[in-house]
Amino acid sequence: MENPFRPTAGATPPDLVGRGGVLDEFAYGLRIGSGAPGLLTIFTGARGIGKTVMLGAAEDLALNNGWAVVSETATGGFVGRIGESMRRITNDLGDGPTGRRVTAVSVAGFSVTTQLAPEEQVDWRARGVALLRLLAQRGTGLIITVDEIHAADRAELSQLAADVQHFIREGLPVGLIFAGLPAAVSDLLNEGVATFLRRADRIDLHAASITEVERSFTETFAGAGMTLTAELAKAAAEATGGYPFLIQLVGYFLWQEAESAPQGLDSAATARAVAAARRRNERVVIEAALSTASGRDRDFLQAMSEDPGASSTTDIGRRTGMRPNAVGNYRTRLIDAGLIEPAGYGLVDFAIPGLREYMTSHPAKN
Ligand SMILES: Nc1ncnc2c1ncn2[C@@H]1O[C@H](COP(=O)(O)OP(=O)(O)OP(=O)(O)O)[C@@H](O)[C@H]1O
Ligand SMILES: [Mg+2]
């Protein structure tokens, strides 16, 4: 058996740890069709927590129930691309024999225009209605997923929301599932870009519990005839902190160790796998997230790393010598970048596992 772990953004893991029941409302929505609350869902959570994977799981569920799926990322022109996909699916349905299975469509290339011209907007809506009526006749519908919604152009997003709201009012079977970073999604909803989206079911994804990770590791290794003792499974699970990307990294490197140790994994091999996973997490998640941070952003983060838990903005101001409104500005910038998150009144905390330790072990060069 080949290494089943997938430490890559958006890749489907061998086991969806800690997500039992998350898609129940959505699945129920697929059964009742138009207007079900679960068909309007927003997944939020820190980088690497598994938002894209949840979108993929929702898409699979929809396809297995015979629904059509359009999967997009909210880069410029996404509404136009959704329209293009709807047109293709309609054509496919028209040509094929009735009852033919619909498959997902994703469109290569991108358009440079972000907003549709008025006549294109009319066309877009008409296309949607035509497709949804066809699907309704077959007892299914259309699911549209949009990833990285925090980066969406506001005008485009409000247009999409208005059109989908129109479809729902017409009783047509449509579902809209978004994913994005929590603080930015909150802003988006509060800005009133699309009041309709505030009614969406918001599911904030968190780390899995250590015991669930432990069970998952034990089962995955046992399933391939590899022995991972209870003690080592526990140590490996604890090292992940339940954070999905680390679950994949630790599992991946443990698997490699197991391949080169036919007599079984020992604690030294487990420790090597954990160290390799941490290094990779630093390079892939932390350094990538920090790549757009300025010197002052880093000073802010450095000041936070002095605390064992959440930091007060007053302390950060004192440690960095920033004035309160500068602290406020950097706080907003860092929240938008997904590096920190609000943790109660006047408090902020790191949003990425391992970032505090990274800031401590990589002090700014002054
Ligand atoms: N429930 C889960 N159990 C185990 N592994 C998971 C789970 N969810 C996601 N993963 C793994 O975690 C990694 C990150 O997942 P994903 O790309 O979906 O995160 P994300 O929240 O979309 O991150 P980003 O904000 O960077 O886009 C992937 O390697 C994926 O296989
Ligand atoms: Mg993602």
Side-chain angles (χ1 to χ4, degrees), residues 162-227:
D163 286 330
V164 169
Q165 188 171 20
H166 170 81
F167 298 152
I168 294 173
R169 259 202 317 263
E170 298 282 301
L172 293 166
V174 67
L176 193 55
I177 317 289
F178 290 139
L181 296 171
V185 166
S186 296
D187 287 352
L188 198 89
L189 298 181
N190 290 334
E191 277 168 25
V193 185
T195 347
F196 151 74
L197 294 178
R198 287 201 205 168
R199 278 176 253 143
D201 204 356
R202 182 167 167 174
I203 303 181
D204 204 26
L205 298 171
H206 291 282
S209 77
I210 307 295
T211 43
E212 279 172 311
V213 180
E214 194 181 327
R215 179 201 46 77
S216 177
F217 278 162
T218 306
E219 283 172 9
T220 308
F221 280 85
M226 292 170 167
T227 355

Short mmCIF file of all heavy atoms in Angstrom, two decimals, residues 162-227:
data_model
loop_
_atom_site.label_atom_id
_atom_site.label_comp_id
_atom_site.label_asym_id
_atom_site.label_seq_id
_atom_site.Cartn_x
_atom_site.Cartn_y
_atom_site.Cartn_z
N ALA A 162 -27.40 38.05 -5.12
CA ALA A 162 -28.71 38.50 -5.60
C ALA A 162 -29.32 37.49 -6.55
O ALA A 162 -30.52 37.17 -6.48
CB ALA A 162 -28.57 39.86 -6.29
N ASP A 163 -28.51 36.93 -7.42
CA ASP A 163 -29.02 35.95 -8.39
C ASP A 163 -29.46 34.67 -7.70
O ASP A 163 -30.52 34.13 -8.00
CB ASP A 163 -27.94 35.65 -9.44
CG ASP A 163 -27.78 36.80 -10.42
OD1 ASP A 163 -28.78 37.51 -10.66
OD2 ASP A 163 -26.67 37.00 -10.93
N VAL A 164 -28.64 34.20 -6.75
CA VAL A 164 -29.00 32.96 -6.06
C VAL A 164 -30.27 33.17 -5.24
O VAL A 164 -31.16 32.32 -5.19
CB VAL A 164 -27.83 32.45 -5.20
CG1 VAL A 164 -28.27 31.33 -4.27
CG2 VAL A 164 -26.70 31.96 -6.09
N GLN A 165 -30.38 34.34 -4.63
CA GLN A 165 -31.59 34.65 -3.86
C GLN A 165 -32.82 34.62 -4.78
O GLN A 165 -33.87 34.11 -4.42
CB GLN A 165 -31.45 36.02 -3.21
CG GLN A 165 -32.58 36.32 -2.25
CD GLN A 165 -32.33 37.58 -1.45
OE1 GLN A 165 -31.51 38.43 -1.84
NE2 GLN A 165 -33.00 37.70 -0.32
N HIS A 166 -32.63 35.13 -5.98
CA HIS A 166 -33.71 35.10 -6.96
C HIS A 166 -34.12 33.66 -7.28
O HIS A 166 -35.30 33.33 -7.30
CB HIS A 166 -33.27 35.84 -8.23
CG HIS A 166 -34.20 35.68 -9.39
ND1 HIS A 166 -35.34 36.43 -9.52
CD2 HIS A 166 -34.17 34.82 -10.44
CE1 HIS A 166 -35.98 36.04 -10.62
NE2 HIS A 166 -35.28 35.08 -11.20
N PHE A 167 -33.13 32.79 -7.50
CA PHE A 167 -33.43 31.39 -7.81
C PHE A 167 -34.22 30.75 -6.66
O PHE A 167 -35.16 30.00 -6.89
CB PHE A 167 -32.13 30.57 -8.01
CG PHE A 167 -31.27 31.03 -9.16
CD1 PHE A 167 -29.89 30.84 -9.14
CD2 PHE A 167 -31.84 31.65 -10.29
CE1 PHE A 167 -29.09 31.26 -10.20
CE2 PHE A 167 -31.03 32.06 -11.34
CZ PHE A 167 -29.66 31.87 -11.29
N ILE A 168 -33.79 31.05 -5.43
CA ILE A 168 -34.45 30.44 -4.27
C ILE A 168 -35.90 30.93 -4.19
O ILE A 168 -36.82 30.15 -3.95
CB ILE A 168 -33.67 30.75 -2.97
CG1 ILE A 168 -32.30 30.06 -3.01
CG2 ILE A 168 -34.46 30.29 -1.74
CD1 ILE A 168 -31.37 30.41 -1.87
N ARG A 169 -36.11 32.23 -4.44
CA ARG A 169 -37.48 32.77 -4.43
C ARG A 169 -38.36 32.09 -5.46
O ARG A 169 -39.56 31.92 -5.26
CB ARG A 169 -37.44 34.28 -4.69
CG ARG A 169 -37.59 35.10 -3.44
CD ARG A 169 -38.09 36.51 -3.76
NE ARG A 169 -37.44 37.09 -4.92
CZ ARG A 169 -36.40 37.93 -4.86
NH1 ARG A 169 -35.90 38.27 -3.69
NH2 ARG A 169 -35.86 38.41 -5.95
N GLU A 170 -37.74 31.70 -6.57
CA GLU A 170 -38.49 31.01 -7.63
C GLU A 170 -38.71 29.53 -7.30
O GLU A 170 -39.24 28.80 -8.12
CB GLU A 170 -37.73 31.09 -8.96
CG GLU A 170 -37.52 32.49 -9.48
CD GLU A 170 -38.78 33.05 -10.13
OE1 GLU A 170 -39.27 32.45 -11.10
OE2 GLU A 170 -39.28 34.09 -9.62
N GLY A 171 -38.20 29.11 -6.15
CA GLY A 171 -38.38 27.71 -5.73
C GLY A 171 -37.47 26.75 -6.48
O GLY A 171 -37.73 25.55 -6.56
N LEU A 172 -36.38 27.28 -7.05
CA LEU A 172 -35.47 26.43 -7.82
C LEU A 172 -34.42 25.78 -6.92
O LEU A 172 -34.00 26.36 -5.92
CB LEU A 172 -34.80 27.26 -8.92
CG LEU A 172 -35.77 27.74 -10.01
CD1 LEU A 172 -35.14 28.83 -10.87
CD2 LEU A 172 -36.24 26.57 -10.87
N PRO A 173 -33.98 24.55 -7.25
CA PRO A 173 -33.07 23.80 -6.38
C PRO A 173 -31.60 24.21 -6.53
O PRO A 173 -30.88 23.68 -7.36
CB PRO A 173 -33.27 22.35 -6.85
CG PRO A 173 -33.64 22.48 -8.29
CD PRO A 173 -34.38 23.76 -8.44
N VAL A 174 -31.18 25.14 -5.70
CA VAL A 174 -29.80 25.61 -5.78
C VAL A 174 -29.19 25.66 -4.38
O VAL A 174 -29.89 25.93 -3.41
CB VAL A 174 -29.73 27.00 -6.48
CG1 VAL A 174 -30.38 28.09 -5.64
CG2 VAL A 174 -28.29 27.37 -6.82
N GLY A 175 -27.89 25.38 -4.30
CA GLY A 175 -27.18 25.49 -3.03
C GLY A 175 -25.90 26.27 -3.25
O GLY A 175 -25.31 26.24 -4.34
N LEU A 176 -25.48 27.04 -2.22
CA LEU A 176 -24.30 27.88 -2.34
C LEU A 176 -23.44 27.60 -1.11
O LEU A 176 -23.88 27.80 0.02
CB LEU A 176 -24.76 29.33 -2.34
CG LEU A 176 -23.79 30.42 -2.74
CD1 LEU A 176 -23.19 30.15 -4.11
CD2 LEU A 176 -24.51 31.77 -2.75
N ILE A 177 -22.23 27.09 -1.32
CA ILE A 177 -21.34 26.78 -0.20
C ILE A 177 -20.05 27.57 -0.36
O ILE A 177 -19.39 27.48 -1.40
CB ILE A 177 -20.99 25.27 -0.15
CG1 ILE A 177 -22.22 24.40 -0.41
CG2 ILE A 177 -20.34 24.90 1.19
CD1 ILE A 177 -23.22 24.37 0.69
N PHE A 178 -19.70 28.35 0.67
CA PHE A 178 -18.50 29.17 0.63
C PHE A 178 -17.47 28.68 1.63
O PHE A 178 -17.83 28.02 2.60
CB PHE A 178 -18.84 30.60 1.06
CG PHE A 178 -19.67 31.37 0.08
CD1 PHE A 178 -20.69 32.19 0.54
CD2 PHE A 178 -19.43 31.32 -1.27
CE1 PHE A 178 -21.46 32.94 -0.34
CE2 PHE A 178 -20.19 32.06 -2.17
CZ PHE A 178 -21.20 32.88 -1.70
N ALA A 179 -16.21 29.06 1.42
CA ALA A 179 -15.20 28.84 2.45
C ALA A 179 -14.27 30.04 2.48
O ALA A 179 -13.96 30.63 1.44
CB ALA A 179 -14.40 27.57 2.16
N GLY A 180 -13.82 30.44 3.68
CA GLY A 180 -12.89 31.56 3.80
C GLY A 180 -12.36 31.73 5.21
O GLY A 180 -12.77 31.02 6.12
N LEU A 181 -11.44 32.68 5.36
CA LEU A 181 -10.84 32.96 6.67
C LEU A 181 -11.86 33.67 7.56
O LEU A 181 -12.59 34.54 7.08
CB LEU A 181 -9.58 33.82 6.50
CG LEU A 181 -8.44 33.17 5.72
CD1 LEU A 181 -7.34 34.19 5.43
CD2 LEU A 181 -7.87 31.98 6.47
N PRO A 182 -11.92 33.30 8.84
CA PRO A 182 -13.03 33.74 9.69
C PRO A 182 -13.22 35.26 9.82
O PRO A 182 -14.33 35.75 9.61
CB PRO A 182 -12.71 33.14 11.06
CG PRO A 182 -11.44 32.40 10.93
CD PRO A 182 -10.99 32.42 9.53
N ALA A 183 -12.13 35.98 10.16
CA ALA A 183 -12.31 37.41 10.42
C ALA A 183 -12.75 38.13 9.15
O ALA A 183 -13.63 38.99 9.17
CB ALA A 183 -11.03 38.01 10.96
N ALA A 184 -12.13 37.76 8.03
CA ALA A 184 -12.45 38.42 6.78
C ALA A 184 -13.88 38.11 6.34
O ALA A 184 -14.57 38.96 5.79
CB ALA A 184 -11.46 37.99 5.70
N VAL A 185 -14.34 36.90 6.64
CA VAL A 185 -15.72 36.55 6.30
C VAL A 185 -16.69 37.35 7.17
O VAL A 185 -17.70 37.86 6.69
CB VAL A 185 -15.96 35.03 6.45
CG1 VAL A 185 -17.45 34.71 6.44
CG2 VAL A 185 -15.27 34.28 5.32
N SER A 186 -16.34 37.53 8.45
CA SER A 186 -17.20 38.33 9.33
C SER A 186 -17.33 39.75 8.79
O SER A 186 -18.43 40.30 8.74
CB SER A 186 -16.61 38.41 10.74
OG SER A 186 -16.57 37.13 11.31
N ASP A 187 -16.20 40.33 8.37
CA ASP A 187 -16.24 41.68 7.81
C ASP A 187 -17.15 41.73 6.61
O ASP A 187 -17.99 42.62 6.48
CB ASP A 187 -14.84 42.11 7.34
CG ASP A 187 -13.92 42.41 8.52
OD1 ASP A 187 -14.43 42.43 9.65
OD2 ASP A 187 -12.72 42.60 8.28
N LEU A 188 -16.97 40.75 5.76
CA LEU A 188 -17.74 40.67 4.53
C LEU A 188 -19.24 40.66 4.84
O LEU A 188 -20.02 41.36 4.21
CB LEU A 188 -17.35 39.36 3.85
CG LEU A 188 -17.65 39.17 2.40
CD1 LEU A 188 -16.46 39.70 1.62
CD2 LEU A 188 -17.81 37.70 2.09
N LEU A 189 -19.62 39.87 5.83
CA LEU A 189 -21.04 39.77 6.18
C LEU A 189 -21.53 41.06 6.83
O LEU A 189 -22.65 41.49 6.60
CB LEU A 189 -21.29 38.57 7.10
CG LEU A 189 -20.94 37.19 6.51
CD1 LEU A 189 -21.25 36.09 7.50
CD2 LEU A 189 -21.71 36.95 5.21
N ASN A 190 -20.64 41.68 7.63
CA ASN A 190 -21.05 42.91 8.32
C ASN A 190 -21.14 44.11 7.41
O ASN A 190 -21.87 45.04 7.67
CB ASN A 190 -20.08 43.22 9.47
CG ASN A 190 -20.24 42.21 10.59
OD1 ASN A 190 -21.31 41.61 10.74
ND2 ASN A 190 -19.18 41.99 11.35
N GLU A 191 -20.35 44.09 6.33
CA GLU A 191 -20.37 45.22 5.40
C GLU A 191 -21.71 45.34 4.70
O GLU A 191 -21.97 46.33 4.03
CB GLU A 191 -19.30 45.02 4.32
CG GLU A 191 -17.93 45.46 4.75
CD GLU A 191 -16.87 44.97 3.77
OE1 GLU A 191 -17.19 44.73 2.59
OE2 GLU A 191 -15.72 44.81 4.20
N GLY A 192 -22.53 44.31 4.79
CA GLY A 192 -23.84 44.38 4.14
C GLY A 192 -23.76 44.23 2.64
O GLY A 192 -24.62 44.69 1.91
N VAL A 193 -22.68 43.59 2.15
CA VAL A 193 -22.52 43.34 0.73
C VAL A 193 -23.73 42.56 0.22
O VAL A 193 -24.27 42.83 -0.84
CB VAL A 193 -21.27 42.48 0.45
CG1 VAL A 193 -21.03 42.33 -1.03
CG2 VAL A 193 -20.06 43.05 1.13
N ALA A 194 -24.12 41.59 1.02
CA ALA A 194 -25.24 40.75 0.65
C ALA A 194 -25.91 40.28 1.93
O ALA A 194 -25.48 39.32 2.54
CB ALA A 194 -24.72 39.56 -0.15
N THR A 195 -26.93 41.02 2.33
CA THR A 195 -27.62 40.74 3.59
C THR A 195 -28.10 39.29 3.63
O THR A 195 -28.10 38.65 4.67
CB THR A 195 -28.85 41.65 3.75
OG1 THR A 195 -28.75 42.67 2.78
CG2 THR A 195 -28.91 42.23 5.13
N PHE A 196 -28.49 38.82 2.47
CA PHE A 196 -29.00 37.47 2.32
C PHE A 196 -28.00 36.42 2.84
O PHE A 196 -28.37 35.43 3.45
CB PHE A 196 -29.33 37.31 0.83
CG PHE A 196 -29.23 35.95 0.25
CD1 PHE A 196 -30.19 34.99 0.52
CD2 PHE A 196 -28.20 35.63 -0.62
CE1 PHE A 196 -30.12 33.73 -0.05
CE2 PHE A 196 -28.12 34.39 -1.19
CZ PHE A 196 -29.08 33.44 -0.91
N LEU A 197 -26.70 36.71 2.65
CA LEU A 197 -25.68 35.76 3.09
C LEU A 197 -25.55 35.66 4.60
O LEU A 197 -25.02 34.70 5.12
CB LEU A 197 -24.32 36.13 2.49
CG LEU A 197 -24.21 36.01 0.97
CD1 LEU A 197 -22.83 36.45 0.51
CD2 LEU A 197 -24.49 34.59 0.53
N ARG A 198 -26.06 36.67 5.31
CA ARG A 198 -25.98 36.60 6.78
C ARG A 198 -26.82 35.47 7.32
O ARG A 198 -26.63 35.03 8.43
CB ARG A 198 -26.49 37.90 7.38
CG ARG A 198 -25.51 39.00 7.19
CD ARG A 198 -25.79 40.07 8.20
NE ARG A 198 -25.30 41.32 7.69
CZ ARG A 198 -25.59 42.49 8.22
NH1 ARG A 198 -26.40 42.55 9.25
NH2 ARG A 198 -25.08 43.57 7.71
N ARG A 199 -27.79 35.04 6.53
CA ARG A 199 -28.64 33.94 6.99
C ARG A 199 -27.99 32.59 6.75
O ARG A 199 -28.55 31.56 7.10
CB ARG A 199 -29.99 34.01 6.27
CG ARG A 199 -30.93 34.99 6.91
CD ARG A 199 -32.21 35.11 6.11
NE ARG A 199 -32.26 36.37 5.40
CZ ARG A 199 -32.76 36.53 4.19
NH1 ARG A 199 -33.24 35.50 3.53
NH2 ARG A 199 -32.77 37.72 3.64
N ALA A 200 -26.83 32.59 6.12
CA ALA A 200 -26.16 31.32 5.83
C ALA A 200 -25.77 30.61 7.13
O ALA A 200 -25.55 31.24 8.16
CB ALA A 200 -24.91 31.57 5.00
N ASP A 201 -25.72 29.31 7.05
CA ASP A 201 -25.30 28.48 8.16
C ASP A 201 -23.78 28.62 8.22
O ASP A 201 -23.09 28.20 7.31
CB ASP A 201 -25.67 27.03 7.78
CG ASP A 201 -25.84 26.16 8.99
OD1 ASP A 201 -25.59 26.65 10.10
OD2 ASP A 201 -26.21 24.98 8.80
N ARG A 202 -23.25 29.23 9.28
CA ARG A 202 -21.81 29.42 9.34
C ARG A 202 -21.18 28.32 10.19
O ARG A 202 -21.50 28.18 11.36
CB ARG A 202 -21.50 30.79 9.92
CG ARG A 202 -20.03 31.04 9.98
CD ARG A 202 -19.71 32.47 10.23
NE ARG A 202 -18.30 32.55 10.58
CZ ARG A 202 -17.65 33.68 10.76
NH1 ARG A 202 -18.28 34.82 10.62
NH2 ARG A 202 -16.39 33.67 11.06
N ILE A 203 -20.29 27.56 9.60
CA ILE A 203 -19.65 26.46 10.33
C ILE A 203 -18.18 26.77 10.51
O ILE A 203 -17.41 26.83 9.55
CB ILE A 203 -19.82 25.12 9.57
CG1 ILE A 203 -21.33 24.84 9.37
CG2 ILE A 203 -19.15 23.98 10.34
CD1 ILE A 203 -21.64 23.54 8.66
N ASP A 204 -17.79 27.05 11.76
CA ASP A 204 -16.41 27.38 12.05
C ASP A 204 -15.65 26.09 12.34
O ASP A 204 -15.98 25.38 13.29
CB ASP A 204 -16.36 28.34 13.24
CG ASP A 204 -15.10 29.17 13.25
OD1 ASP A 204 -14.52 29.39 12.16
OD2 ASP A 204 -14.68 29.60 14.33
N LEU A 205 -14.68 25.78 11.50
CA LEU A 205 -13.94 24.52 11.66
C LEU A 205 -12.81 24.69 12.66
O LEU A 205 -12.11 25.70 12.65
CB LEU A 205 -13.39 24.06 10.32
CG LEU A 205 -14.43 23.76 9.24
CD1 LEU A 205 -13.75 23.53 7.89
CD2 LEU A 205 -15.29 22.57 9.62
N HIS A 206 -12.67 23.70 13.53
CA HIS A 206 -11.60 23.75 14.53
C HIS A 206 -10.73 22.51 14.42
O HIS A 206 -11.02 21.60 13.65
CB HIS A 206 -12.21 23.82 15.93
CG HIS A 206 -12.90 25.11 16.19
ND1 HIS A 206 -12.23 26.27 16.50
CD2 HIS A 206 -14.21 25.45 16.11
CE1 HIS A 206 -13.09 27.26 16.63
NE2 HIS A 206 -14.31 26.79 16.39
N ALA A 207 -9.67 22.50 15.23
CA ALA A 207 -8.79 21.33 15.26
C ALA A 207 -9.57 20.13 15.77
O ALA A 207 -10.56 20.27 16.49
CB ALA A 207 -7.61 21.63 16.19
N ALA A 208 -9.15 18.94 15.37
CA ALA A 208 -9.79 17.70 15.84
C ALA A 208 -9.26 17.38 17.25
O ALA A 208 -8.25 17.94 17.67
CB ALA A 208 -9.44 16.57 14.88
N SER A 209 -9.95 16.50 17.96
CA SER A 209 -9.45 16.15 19.29
C SER A 209 -8.30 15.15 19.14
O SER A 209 -8.23 14.40 18.17
CB SER A 209 -10.57 15.54 20.14
OG SER A 209 -10.79 14.20 19.75
N ILE A 210 -7.38 15.18 20.12
CA ILE A 210 -6.19 14.32 20.06
C ILE A 210 -6.60 12.84 20.03
O ILE A 210 -5.99 12.04 19.31
CB ILE A 210 -5.26 14.58 21.28
CG1 ILE A 210 -4.94 16.07 21.40
CG2 ILE A 210 -3.98 13.75 21.19
CD1 ILE A 210 -4.15 16.65 20.27
N THR A 211 -7.63 12.48 20.78
CA THR A 211 -8.03 11.06 20.79
C THR A 211 -8.55 10.63 19.42
O THR A 211 -8.31 9.49 19.02
CB THR A 211 -9.12 10.76 21.86
OG1 THR A 211 -10.09 11.80 21.81
CG2 THR A 211 -8.54 10.66 23.25
N GLU A 212 -9.21 11.52 18.71
CA GLU A 212 -9.67 11.15 17.37
C GLU A 212 -8.49 10.95 16.42
O GLU A 212 -8.50 10.06 15.58
CB GLU A 212 -10.59 12.25 16.81
CG GLU A 212 -12.01 12.16 17.32
CD GLU A 212 -12.84 13.36 16.90
OE1 GLU A 212 -12.38 14.51 17.09
OE2 GLU A 212 -13.95 13.15 16.39
N VAL A 213 -7.47 11.80 16.56
CA VAL A 213 -6.28 11.67 15.72
C VAL A 213 -5.57 10.36 16.03
O VAL A 213 -5.16 9.62 15.12
CB VAL A 213 -5.32 12.87 15.93
CG1 VAL A 213 -4.08 12.72 15.06
CG2 VAL A 213 -6.02 14.18 15.65
N GLU A 214 -5.50 10.04 17.32
CA GLU A 214 -4.84 8.82 17.76
C GLU A 214 -5.54 7.59 17.15
O GLU A 214 -4.90 6.70 16.59
CB GLU A 214 -4.93 8.78 19.29
CG GLU A 214 -4.05 7.77 19.94
CD GLU A 214 -4.25 7.81 21.46
OE1 GLU A 214 -4.52 8.89 22.02
OE2 GLU A 214 -4.14 6.73 22.06
N ARG A 215 -6.87 7.59 17.25
CA ARG A 215 -7.66 6.48 16.71
C ARG A 215 -7.42 6.36 15.20
O ARG A 215 -7.20 5.29 14.66
CB ARG A 215 -9.15 6.72 16.99
CG ARG A 215 -10.07 5.63 16.45
CD ARG A 215 -11.52 6.11 16.28
NE ARG A 215 -11.65 7.42 15.64
CZ ARG A 215 -11.51 7.64 14.33
NH1 ARG A 215 -11.25 6.66 13.51
NH2 ARG A 215 -11.65 8.86 13.84
N SER A 216 -7.42 7.52 14.53
CA SER A 216 -7.24 7.53 13.08
C SER A 216 -5.87 6.98 12.68
O SER A 216 -5.78 6.14 11.78
CB SER A 216 -7.42 8.96 12.57
OG SER A 216 -7.19 9.01 11.20
N PHE A 217 -4.81 7.43 13.36
CA PHE A 217 -3.46 6.92 13.07
C PHE A 217 -3.42 5.40 13.27
O PHE A 217 -2.93 4.66 12.43
CB PHE A 217 -2.41 7.57 13.98
CG PHE A 217 -1.95 8.94 13.52
CD1 PHE A 217 -1.31 9.82 14.39
CD2 PHE A 217 -2.12 9.35 12.20
CE1 PHE A 217 -0.86 11.07 13.98
CE2 PHE A 217 -1.68 10.60 11.77
CZ PHE A 217 -1.05 11.46 12.67
N THR A 218 -3.94 4.96 14.41
CA THR A 218 -3.91 3.53 14.73
C THR A 218 -4.60 2.72 13.64
O THR A 218 -4.06 1.74 13.13
CB THR A 218 -4.59 3.28 16.10
OG1 THR A 218 -3.97 4.13 17.06
CG2 THR A 218 -4.44 1.82 16.54
N GLU A 219 -5.79 3.17 13.24
CA GLU A 219 -6.55 2.44 12.22
C GLU A 219 -5.87 2.46 10.86
O GLU A 219 -5.79 1.45 10.17
CB GLU A 219 -7.97 3.01 12.09
CG GLU A 219 -8.86 2.57 13.23
CD GLU A 219 -10.21 3.27 13.23
OE1 GLU A 219 -10.53 3.98 12.25
OE2 GLU A 219 -10.94 3.11 14.23
N THR A 220 -5.36 3.63 10.46
CA THR A 220 -4.74 3.74 9.14
C THR A 220 -3.51 2.82 9.05
O THR A 220 -3.32 2.12 8.05
CB THR A 220 -4.36 5.20 8.83
OG1 THR A 220 -5.51 6.01 9.03
CG2 THR A 220 -3.88 5.36 7.40
N PHE A 221 -2.68 2.82 10.09
CA PHE A 221 -1.48 1.98 10.06
C PHE A 221 -1.84 0.50 10.16
O PHE A 221 -1.31 -0.32 9.41
CB PHE A 221 -0.49 2.41 11.15
CG PHE A 221 0.32 3.62 10.74
CD1 PHE A 221 -0.19 4.91 10.94
CD2 PHE A 221 1.55 3.49 10.13
CE1 PHE A 221 0.52 6.03 10.52
CE2 PHE A 221 2.27 4.61 9.71
CZ PHE A 221 1.76 5.89 9.91
N ALA A 222 -2.78 0.18 11.05
CA ALA A 222 -3.18 -1.22 11.20
C ALA A 222 -3.78 -1.73 9.89
O ALA A 222 -3.53 -2.87 9.49
CB ALA A 222 -4.17 -1.37 12.35
N GLY A 223 -4.53 -0.87 9.21
CA GLY A 223 -5.17 -1.24 7.94
C GLY A 223 -4.16 -1.65 6.88
O GLY A 223 -4.49 -2.36 5.93
N ALA A 224 -2.92 -1.18 7.01
CA ALA A 224 -1.88 -1.52 6.04
C ALA A 224 -0.93 -2.57 6.62
O ALA A 224 0.15 -2.81 6.07
CB ALA A 224 -1.12 -0.27 5.65
N GLY A 225 -1.33 -3.16 7.74
CA GLY A 225 -0.51 -4.20 8.35
C GLY A 225 0.76 -3.67 9.00
O GLY A 225 1.74 -4.39 9.18
N MET A 226 0.75 -2.38 9.37
CA MET A 226 1.93 -1.81 10.05
C MET A 226 1.60 -1.64 11.52
O MET A 226 0.48 -1.27 11.86
CB MET A 226 2.25 -0.43 9.47
CG MET A 226 2.74 -0.47 8.05
SD MET A 226 2.80 1.21 7.42
CE MET A 226 3.74 0.97 5.93
N THR A 227 2.58 -1.91 12.37
CA THR A 227 2.30 -1.77 13.80
C THR A 227 2.72 -0.40 14.30
O THR A 227 3.85 0.03 14.09
CB THR A 227 3.04 -2.84 14.64
OG1 THR A 227 3.71 -3.72 13.74
CG2 THR A 227 2.10 -3.55 15.57
#
